[in-house]
mmCIF file of all heavy atoms in Angstrom:
data_model
loop_
_atom_site.group_PDB
_atom_site.id
_atom_site.type_symbol
_atom_site.label_atom_id
_atom_site.label_comp_id
_atom_site.label_asym_id
_atom_site.label_seq_id
_atom_site.Cartn_x
_atom_site.Cartn_y
_atom_site.Cartn_z
ATOM 1 N N TYR A 1 20.932 22.132 38.815
ATOM 2 C CA TYR A 1 20.757 20.990 37.978
ATOM 3 C C TYR A 1 19.238 20.800 37.677
ATOM 4 O O TYR A 1 18.429 20.800 38.531
ATOM 5 C CB TYR A 1 21.243 19.696 38.655
ATOM 6 C CG TYR A 1 21.251 18.503 37.766
ATOM 7 C CD1 TYR A 1 22.145 18.339 36.718
ATOM 8 C CD2 TYR A 1 20.250 17.455 38.005
ATOM 9 C CE1 TYR A 1 22.068 17.194 35.930
ATOM 10 C CE2 TYR A 1 20.227 16.348 37.200
ATOM 11 C CZ TYR A 1 21.099 16.208 36.159
ATOM 12 O OH TYR A 1 21.084 15.105 35.367
ATOM 13 N N GLU A 2 18.955 20.692 36.376
ATOM 14 C CA GLU A 2 17.553 20.650 35.973
ATOM 15 C C GLU A 2 17.068 19.211 36.013
ATOM 16 O O GLU A 2 17.646 18.309 35.454
ATOM 17 C CB GLU A 2 17.343 21.222 34.567
ATOM 18 C CG GLU A 2 15.891 21.228 34.099
ATOM 19 C CD GLU A 2 15.715 21.884 32.741
ATOM 20 O OE1 GLU A 2 15.881 23.109 32.654
ATOM 21 O OE2 GLU A 2 15.438 21.163 31.737
ATOM 22 N N LEU A 3 15.933 19.003 36.687
ATOM 23 C CA LEU A 3 15.290 17.689 36.752
ATOM 24 C C LEU A 3 13.957 17.734 35.951
ATOM 25 O O LEU A 3 13.208 18.667 36.000
ATOM 26 C CB LEU A 3 14.947 17.363 38.221
ATOM 27 C CG LEU A 3 16.183 17.191 39.145
ATOM 28 C CD1 LEU A 3 15.777 17.163 40.561
ATOM 29 C CD2 LEU A 3 16.919 15.903 38.760
ATOM 30 N N ASN A 4 13.752 16.629 35.258
ATOM 31 C CA ASN A 4 12.512 16.516 34.417
ATOM 32 C C ASN A 4 11.624 15.436 34.905
ATOM 33 O O ASN A 4 12.062 14.425 35.421
ATOM 34 C CB ASN A 4 12.939 16.293 32.958
ATOM 35 C CG ASN A 4 13.725 17.415 32.389
ATOM 36 O OD1 ASN A 4 13.334 18.606 32.543
ATOM 37 N ND2 ASN A 4 14.800 17.051 31.690
ATOM 38 N N CYS A 5 10.310 15.626 34.752
ATOM 39 C CA CYS A 5 9.299 14.743 35.229
ATOM 40 C C CYS A 5 9.476 13.361 34.601
ATOM 41 O O CYS A 5 9.596 13.265 33.314
ATOM 42 C CB CYS A 5 7.906 15.290 34.964
ATOM 43 S SG CYS A 5 6.575 14.181 35.396
ATOM 44 N N PRO A 6 9.472 12.303 35.304
ATOM 45 C CA PRO A 6 9.606 10.950 34.748
ATOM 46 C C PRO A 6 8.385 10.529 33.944
ATOM 47 O O PRO A 6 8.427 9.581 33.152
ATOM 48 C CB PRO A 6 9.822 10.028 35.962
ATOM 49 C CG PRO A 6 9.159 10.776 37.086
ATOM 50 C CD PRO A 6 9.416 12.229 36.771
ATOM 51 N N SER A 7 7.238 11.204 34.105
ATOM 52 C CA SER A 7 6.015 10.917 33.390
ATOM 53 C C SER A 7 5.846 11.642 32.111
ATOM 54 O O SER A 7 5.592 11.065 31.014
ATOM 55 C CB SER A 7 4.800 11.126 34.309
ATOM 56 O OG SER A 7 4.853 10.335 35.423
ATOM 57 N N CYS A 8 6.043 12.995 32.167
ATOM 58 C CA CYS A 8 5.752 13.818 30.946
ATOM 59 C C CYS A 8 6.974 14.478 30.399
ATOM 60 O O CYS A 8 6.948 15.022 29.299
ATOM 61 C CB CYS A 8 4.717 14.901 31.287
ATOM 62 S SG CYS A 8 5.275 16.175 32.445
ATOM 63 N N GLY A 9 8.072 14.457 31.175
ATOM 64 C CA GLY A 9 9.339 15.008 30.673
ATOM 65 C C GLY A 9 9.494 16.487 30.838
ATOM 66 O O GLY A 9 10.495 17.092 30.543
ATOM 67 N N LYS A 10 8.505 17.196 31.468
ATOM 68 C CA LYS A 10 8.548 18.596 31.676
ATOM 69 C C LYS A 10 9.473 18.904 32.872
ATOM 70 O O LYS A 10 9.633 18.082 33.783
ATOM 71 C CB LYS A 10 7.141 19.129 31.950
ATOM 72 C CG LYS A 10 6.210 19.081 30.743
ATOM 73 C CD LYS A 10 6.694 19.921 29.583
ATOM 74 C CE LYS A 10 5.733 19.870 28.434
ATOM 75 N NZ LYS A 10 6.136 20.721 27.310
ATOM 76 N N PRO A 11 10.034 20.156 32.948
ATOM 77 C CA PRO A 11 10.866 20.508 34.107
ATOM 78 C C PRO A 11 10.117 20.463 35.389
ATOM 79 O O PRO A 11 8.960 20.780 35.504
ATOM 80 C CB PRO A 11 11.289 21.943 33.751
ATOM 81 C CG PRO A 11 11.191 22.048 32.268
ATOM 82 C CD PRO A 11 9.974 21.205 31.891
ATOM 83 N N LEU A 12 10.831 20.018 36.452
ATOM 84 C CA LEU A 12 10.269 19.845 37.799
ATOM 85 C C LEU A 12 10.639 21.109 38.579
ATOM 86 O O LEU A 12 11.767 21.642 38.418
ATOM 87 C CB LEU A 12 10.715 18.619 38.451
ATOM 88 C CG LEU A 12 10.230 17.255 37.822
ATOM 89 C CD1 LEU A 12 11.089 16.119 38.358
ATOM 90 C CD2 LEU A 12 8.787 17.011 38.191
ATOM 91 N N LYS A 13 9.770 21.448 39.538
ATOM 92 C CA LYS A 13 10.041 22.539 40.422
ATOM 93 C C LYS A 13 10.493 21.976 41.749
ATOM 94 O O LYS A 13 9.844 21.078 42.324
ATOM 95 C CB LYS A 13 8.750 23.371 40.619
ATOM 96 C CG LYS A 13 8.983 24.528 41.633
ATOM 97 C CD LYS A 13 7.664 25.208 41.893
ATOM 98 C CE LYS A 13 7.869 26.303 43.005
ATOM 99 N NZ LYS A 13 6.560 26.998 43.347
ATOM 100 N N LYS A 14 11.577 22.500 42.282
ATOM 101 C CA LYS A 14 12.083 22.038 43.576
ATOM 102 C C LYS A 14 11.192 22.676 44.656
ATOM 103 O O LYS A 14 10.979 23.866 44.683
ATOM 104 C CB LYS A 14 13.548 22.469 43.751
ATOM 105 C CG LYS A 14 14.478 21.751 42.764
ATOM 106 C CD LYS A 14 15.936 22.161 43.051
ATOM 107 C CE LYS A 14 16.936 21.404 42.143
ATOM 108 N NZ LYS A 14 16.801 21.732 40.734
ATOM 109 N N CYS A 15 10.702 21.843 45.579
ATOM 110 C CA CYS A 15 9.830 22.345 46.688
ATOM 111 C C CYS A 15 10.568 22.853 47.940
ATOM 112 O O CYS A 15 10.046 23.657 48.634
ATOM 113 C CB CYS A 15 8.879 21.180 47.052
ATOM 114 S SG CYS A 15 7.874 20.609 45.722
ATOM 115 N N ASP A 16 11.779 22.290 48.156
ATOM 116 C CA ASP A 16 12.538 22.750 49.283
ATOM 117 C C ASP A 16 13.992 22.444 49.026
ATOM 118 O O ASP A 16 14.367 21.960 47.947
ATOM 119 C CB ASP A 16 12.065 22.071 50.625
ATOM 120 C CG ASP A 16 12.109 20.569 50.512
ATOM 121 O OD1 ASP A 16 12.655 20.047 49.526
ATOM 122 O OD2 ASP A 16 11.620 19.886 51.415
ATOM 123 N N ASP A 17 14.864 22.720 50.031
ATOM 124 C CA ASP A 17 16.264 22.473 49.817
ATOM 125 C C ASP A 17 16.568 20.999 49.842
ATOM 126 O O ASP A 17 15.941 20.210 50.588
ATOM 127 C CB ASP A 17 17.038 23.138 51.020
ATOM 128 C CG ASP A 17 16.996 24.694 50.975
ATOM 129 O OD1 ASP A 17 16.773 25.192 49.844
ATOM 130 O OD2 ASP A 17 17.165 25.301 52.013
ATOM 131 N N PHE A 18 17.569 20.619 49.063
ATOM 132 C CA PHE A 18 18.014 19.200 49.008
ATOM 133 C C PHE A 18 18.869 18.917 50.216
ATOM 134 O O PHE A 18 19.513 19.816 50.774
ATOM 135 C CB PHE A 18 18.708 18.953 47.727
ATOM 136 C CG PHE A 18 17.905 18.536 46.563
ATOM 137 C CD1 PHE A 18 16.985 19.468 46.028
ATOM 138 C CD2 PHE A 18 17.954 17.286 45.999
ATOM 139 C CE1 PHE A 18 16.195 19.096 44.934
ATOM 140 C CE2 PHE A 18 17.197 16.926 44.930
ATOM 141 C CZ PHE A 18 16.260 17.854 44.370
ATOM 142 N N THR A 19 18.843 17.667 50.621
ATOM 143 C CA THR A 19 19.747 17.152 51.656
ATOM 144 C C THR A 19 20.566 16.035 51.080
ATOM 145 O O THR A 19 20.438 15.685 49.919
ATOM 146 C CB THR A 19 18.973 16.664 52.846
ATOM 147 O OG1 THR A 19 18.083 15.529 52.444
ATOM 148 C CG2 THR A 19 18.128 17.760 53.478
ATOM 149 N N VAL A 20 21.540 15.535 51.845
ATOM 150 C CA VAL A 20 22.341 14.410 51.425
ATOM 151 C C VAL A 20 22.003 13.168 52.160
ATOM 152 O O VAL A 20 21.923 13.174 53.423
ATOM 153 C CB VAL A 20 23.870 14.730 51.583
ATOM 154 C CG1 VAL A 20 24.702 13.507 51.190
ATOM 155 C CG2 VAL A 20 24.256 15.942 50.727
ATOM 156 N N GLN A 21 21.721 12.060 51.425
ATOM 157 C CA GLN A 21 21.363 10.815 52.050
ATOM 158 C C GLN A 21 21.978 9.695 51.273
ATOM 159 O O GLN A 21 21.729 9.509 50.089
ATOM 160 C CB GLN A 21 19.840 10.653 52.104
ATOM 161 C CG GLN A 21 19.322 9.360 52.712
ATOM 162 C CD GLN A 21 17.803 9.317 52.724
ATOM 163 O OE1 GLN A 21 17.184 10.191 53.240
ATOM 164 N NE2 GLN A 21 17.286 8.271 52.174
ATOM 165 N N ASN A 22 22.787 8.876 51.938
ATOM 166 C CA ASN A 22 23.396 7.722 51.320
ATOM 167 C C ASN A 22 24.155 8.094 50.021
ATOM 168 O O ASN A 22 23.975 7.467 48.973
ATOM 169 C CB ASN A 22 22.404 6.615 51.051
ATOM 170 C CG ASN A 22 21.765 6.002 52.289
ATOM 171 O OD1 ASN A 22 22.450 5.958 53.322
ATOM 172 N ND2 ASN A 22 20.482 5.691 52.245
ATOM 173 N N LYS A 23 24.958 9.117 50.119
ATOM 174 C CA LYS A 23 25.761 9.604 48.964
ATOM 175 C C LYS A 23 24.950 10.121 47.789
ATOM 176 O O LYS A 23 25.417 10.151 46.651
ATOM 177 C CB LYS A 23 26.715 8.515 48.529
ATOM 178 C CG LYS A 23 27.750 8.172 49.561
ATOM 179 C CD LYS A 23 28.764 7.163 49.018
ATOM 180 C CE LYS A 23 29.827 6.811 50.124
ATOM 181 N NZ LYS A 23 30.779 5.856 49.625
ATOM 182 N N ALA A 24 23.681 10.487 48.081
ATOM 183 C CA ALA A 24 22.865 11.046 47.024
ATOM 184 C C ALA A 24 22.182 12.327 47.528
ATOM 185 O O ALA A 24 21.940 12.461 48.745
ATOM 186 C CB ALA A 24 21.749 10.020 46.646
ATOM 187 N N PHE A 25 21.902 13.216 46.646
ATOM 188 C CA PHE A 25 21.150 14.417 46.999
ATOM 189 C C PHE A 25 19.637 13.997 46.967
ATOM 190 O O PHE A 25 19.150 13.396 46.001
ATOM 191 C CB PHE A 25 21.393 15.559 46.043
ATOM 192 C CG PHE A 25 22.817 16.043 46.029
ATOM 193 C CD1 PHE A 25 23.761 15.621 45.084
ATOM 194 C CD2 PHE A 25 23.217 16.950 47.004
ATOM 195 C CE1 PHE A 25 25.049 16.108 45.127
ATOM 196 C CE2 PHE A 25 24.514 17.421 47.054
ATOM 197 C CZ PHE A 25 25.456 16.982 46.101
ATOM 198 N N LYS A 26 18.925 14.351 48.048
ATOM 199 C CA LYS A 26 17.519 14.016 48.135
ATOM 200 C C LYS A 26 16.711 15.282 48.320
ATOM 201 O O LYS A 26 17.053 16.161 49.117
ATOM 202 C CB LYS A 26 17.260 13.095 49.298
ATOM 203 C CG LYS A 26 15.788 12.804 49.521
ATOM 204 C CD LYS A 26 15.608 11.989 50.825
ATOM 205 C CE LYS A 26 14.099 11.750 51.042
ATOM 206 N NZ LYS A 26 13.803 11.012 52.334
ATOM 207 N N GLY A 27 15.602 15.378 47.540
ATOM 208 C CA GLY A 27 14.759 16.570 47.664
ATOM 209 C C GLY A 27 13.393 16.303 47.058
ATOM 210 O O GLY A 27 13.187 15.418 46.228
ATOM 211 N N ALA A 28 12.430 17.169 47.486
ATOM 212 C CA ALA A 28 11.070 17.046 46.949
ATOM 213 C C ALA A 28 10.917 17.957 45.754
ATOM 214 O O ALA A 28 11.350 19.037 45.741
ATOM 215 C CB ALA A 28 10.037 17.457 48.035
ATOM 216 N N VAL A 29 10.311 17.404 44.670
ATOM 217 C CA VAL A 29 10.055 18.110 43.460
ATOM 218 C C VAL A 29 8.668 17.936 42.945
ATOM 219 O O VAL A 29 8.043 16.932 43.256
ATOM 220 C CB VAL A 29 11.078 17.727 42.368
ATOM 221 C CG1 VAL A 29 12.530 18.101 42.712
ATOM 222 C CG2 VAL A 29 11.021 16.179 42.142
ATOM 223 N N LYS A 30 8.138 18.905 42.185
ATOM 224 C CA LYS A 30 6.758 18.829 41.769
ATOM 225 C C LYS A 30 6.635 19.121 40.259
ATOM 226 O O LYS A 30 7.318 20.016 39.774
ATOM 227 C CB LYS A 30 5.894 19.855 42.536
ATOM 228 C CG LYS A 30 4.444 19.799 42.182
ATOM 229 C CD LYS A 30 3.646 20.809 42.971
ATOM 230 C CE LYS A 30 2.128 20.779 42.601
ATOM 231 N NZ LYS A 30 1.348 21.731 43.394
ATOM 232 N N CYS A 31 5.756 18.344 39.618
ATOM 233 C CA CYS A 31 5.448 18.578 38.204
ATOM 234 C C CYS A 31 4.134 19.339 38.141
ATOM 235 O O CYS A 31 3.080 18.845 38.544
ATOM 236 C CB CYS A 31 5.303 17.289 37.440
ATOM 237 S SG CYS A 31 4.908 17.512 35.686
ATOM 238 N N ARG A 32 4.183 20.555 37.585
ATOM 239 C CA ARG A 32 2.982 21.401 37.498
ATOM 240 C C ARG A 32 1.987 20.834 36.497
ATOM 241 O O ARG A 32 0.767 21.007 36.636
ATOM 242 C CB ARG A 32 3.361 22.798 37.137
ATOM 243 C CG ARG A 32 4.127 23.538 38.254
ATOM 244 C CD ARG A 32 4.604 24.873 37.813
ATOM 245 N NE ARG A 32 5.255 25.613 38.916
ATOM 246 C CZ ARG A 32 5.855 26.784 38.760
ATOM 247 N NH1 ARG A 32 5.844 27.385 37.551
ATOM 248 N NH2 ARG A 32 6.406 27.380 39.789
ATOM 249 N N LYS A 33 2.522 20.181 35.437
ATOM 250 C CA LYS A 33 1.558 19.617 34.464
ATOM 251 C C LYS A 33 0.900 18.365 34.970
ATOM 252 O O LYS A 33 -0.339 18.196 34.858
ATOM 253 C CB LYS A 33 2.378 19.300 33.193
ATOM 254 C CG LYS A 33 1.477 18.764 32.060
ATOM 255 C CD LYS A 33 2.247 18.450 30.784
ATOM 256 C CE LYS A 33 1.329 17.916 29.700
ATOM 257 N NZ LYS A 33 2.049 17.575 28.474
ATOM 258 N N CYS A 34 1.664 17.434 35.512
ATOM 259 C CA CYS A 34 1.043 16.185 35.972
ATOM 260 C C CYS A 34 0.435 16.322 37.374
ATOM 261 O O CYS A 34 -0.317 15.456 37.808
ATOM 262 C CB CYS A 34 2.116 15.100 36.061
ATOM 263 S SG CYS A 34 2.851 14.658 34.448
ATOM 264 N N ARG A 35 0.787 17.393 38.027
ATOM 265 C CA ARG A 35 0.345 17.608 39.455
ATOM 266 C C ARG A 35 0.782 16.495 40.335
ATOM 267 O O ARG A 35 0.078 16.008 41.165
ATOM 268 C CB ARG A 35 -1.172 17.821 39.502
ATOM 269 C CG ARG A 35 -1.637 19.094 38.809
ATOM 270 C CD ARG A 35 -3.108 19.315 39.014
ATOM 271 N NE ARG A 35 -3.541 20.585 38.469
ATOM 272 C CZ ARG A 35 -3.440 21.743 39.140
ATOM 273 N NH1 ARG A 35 -2.961 21.772 40.327
ATOM 274 N NH2 ARG A 35 -3.835 22.908 38.554
ATOM 275 N N ARG A 36 1.978 16.041 40.114
ATOM 276 C CA ARG A 36 2.533 14.941 40.940
ATOM 277 C C ARG A 36 3.749 15.460 41.651
ATOM 278 O O ARG A 36 4.488 16.315 41.144
ATOM 279 C CB ARG A 36 2.912 13.729 40.084
ATOM 280 C CG ARG A 36 1.786 12.980 39.436
ATOM 281 C CD ARG A 36 2.258 11.824 38.616
ATOM 282 N NE ARG A 36 1.177 11.112 38.004
ATOM 283 C CZ ARG A 36 1.358 10.048 37.177
ATOM 284 N NH1 ARG A 36 2.585 9.678 36.847
ATOM 285 N NH2 ARG A 36 0.263 9.438 36.668
ATOM 286 N N THR A 37 3.967 15.001 42.893
ATOM 287 C CA THR A 37 5.119 15.338 43.680
ATOM 288 C C THR A 37 5.952 14.079 43.909
ATOM 289 O O THR A 37 5.443 13.019 44.156
ATOM 290 C CB THR A 37 4.638 15.899 45.027
ATOM 291 O OG1 THR A 37 3.720 16.990 44.800
ATOM 292 C CG2 THR A 37 5.797 16.422 45.821
ATOM 293 N N TYR A 38 7.258 14.278 43.787
ATOM 294 C CA TYR A 38 8.225 13.139 43.878
ATOM 295 C C TYR A 38 9.304 13.475 44.850
ATOM 296 O O TYR A 38 9.641 14.640 45.138
ATOM 297 C CB TYR A 38 8.877 12.903 42.547
ATOM 298 C CG TYR A 38 7.952 12.587 41.356
ATOM 299 C CD1 TYR A 38 7.464 13.632 40.539
ATOM 300 C CD2 TYR A 38 7.627 11.276 41.091
ATOM 301 C CE1 TYR A 38 6.654 13.308 39.487
ATOM 302 C CE2 TYR A 38 6.784 10.947 40.026
ATOM 303 C CZ TYR A 38 6.285 12.005 39.225
ATOM 304 O OH TYR A 38 5.490 11.692 38.147
ATOM 305 N N TRP A 39 9.851 12.396 45.404
ATOM 306 C CA TRP A 39 11.133 12.448 46.043
ATOM 307 C C TRP A 39 12.181 12.218 44.923
ATOM 308 O O TRP A 39 12.070 11.189 44.200
ATOM 309 C CB TRP A 39 11.368 11.447 47.101
ATOM 310 C CG TRP A 39 10.576 11.702 48.383
ATOM 311 C CD1 TRP A 39 9.542 10.925 48.881
ATOM 312 C CD2 TRP A 39 10.768 12.767 49.274
ATOM 313 N NE1 TRP A 39 9.100 11.452 50.038
ATOM 314 C CE2 TRP A 39 9.786 12.604 50.301
ATOM 315 C CE3 TRP A 39 11.604 13.837 49.331
ATOM 316 C CZ2 TRP A 39 9.702 13.473 51.370
ATOM 317 C CZ3 TRP A 39 11.512 14.698 50.424
ATOM 318 C CH2 TRP A 39 10.570 14.574 51.399
ATOM 319 N N ALA A 40 13.111 13.088 44.781
ATOM 320 C CA ALA A 40 14.179 12.935 43.773
ATOM 321 C C ALA A 40 15.440 12.546 44.481
ATOM 322 O O ALA A 40 15.837 13.183 45.441
ATOM 323 C CB ALA A 40 14.332 14.227 42.986
ATOM 324 N N PHE A 41 16.104 11.518 43.959
ATOM 325 C CA PHE A 41 17.406 11.075 44.481
ATOM 326 C C PHE A 41 18.419 11.225 43.345
ATOM 327 O O PHE A 41 18.265 10.567 42.278
ATOM 328 C CB PHE A 41 17.376 9.634 44.944
ATOM 329 C CG PHE A 41 16.384 9.401 46.049
ATOM 330 C CD1 PHE A 41 15.036 9.099 45.831
ATOM 331 C CD2 PHE A 41 16.783 9.472 47.395
ATOM 332 C CE1 PHE A 41 14.179 8.879 46.827
ATOM 333 C CE2 PHE A 41 15.936 9.261 48.433
ATOM 334 C CZ PHE A 41 14.560 8.969 48.158
ATOM 335 N N VAL A 42 19.425 12.019 43.535
ATOM 336 C CA VAL A 42 20.376 12.350 42.499
ATOM 337 C C VAL A 42 21.771 12.005 42.948
ATOM 338 O O VAL A 42 22.237 12.528 43.960
ATOM 339 C CB VAL A 42 20.346 13.860 42.108
ATOM 340 C CG1 VAL A 42 21.312 14.130 40.972
ATOM 341 C CG2 VAL A 42 18.955 14.263 41.752
ATOM 342 N N ARG A 43 22.413 11.062 42.259
ATOM 343 C CA ARG A 43 23.818 10.659 42.532
ATOM 344 C C ARG A 43 24.689 11.260 41.452
ATOM 345 O O ARG A 43 24.446 11.002 40.249
ATOM 346 C CB ARG A 43 23.957 9.166 42.556
ATOM 347 C CG ARG A 43 23.344 8.493 43.785
ATOM 348 C CD ARG A 43 23.650 7.019 43.783
ATOM 349 N NE ARG A 43 23.048 6.296 44.864
ATOM 350 C CZ ARG A 43 23.607 6.165 46.040
ATOM 351 N NH1 ARG A 43 24.852 6.621 46.254
ATOM 352 N NH2 ARG A 43 23.045 5.513 47.017
ATOM 353 N N ALA A 44 25.716 11.975 41.864
ATOM 354 C CA ALA A 44 26.686 12.578 40.952
ATOM 355 C C ALA A 44 28.061 11.936 41.185
ATOM 356 O O ALA A 44 28.628 12.144 42.269
ATOM 357 C CB ALA A 44 26.752 14.098 41.136
ATOM 358 N N LYS A 45 28.523 11.188 40.225
ATOM 359 C CA LYS A 45 29.825 10.473 40.413
ATOM 360 C C LYS A 45 30.898 11.161 39.603
ATOM 361 O O LYS A 45 30.756 11.257 38.380
ATOM 362 C CB LYS A 45 29.622 8.964 39.975
ATOM 363 C CG LYS A 45 30.847 8.164 40.319
ATOM 364 C CD LYS A 45 30.549 6.680 40.011
ATOM 365 C CE LYS A 45 31.635 5.781 40.455
ATOM 366 N NZ LYS A 45 31.336 4.326 40.168
#
């Protein structure tokens, strides 16, 4: 699943494997353009 930076909209790079937390997939992602790193929480219903 492709994740895009909430600041610039560019594709994010996954830093490690995702885990499951509170019915959501949680993982670290990085934007190479903004040089920002985020925790991404993805809920798929």
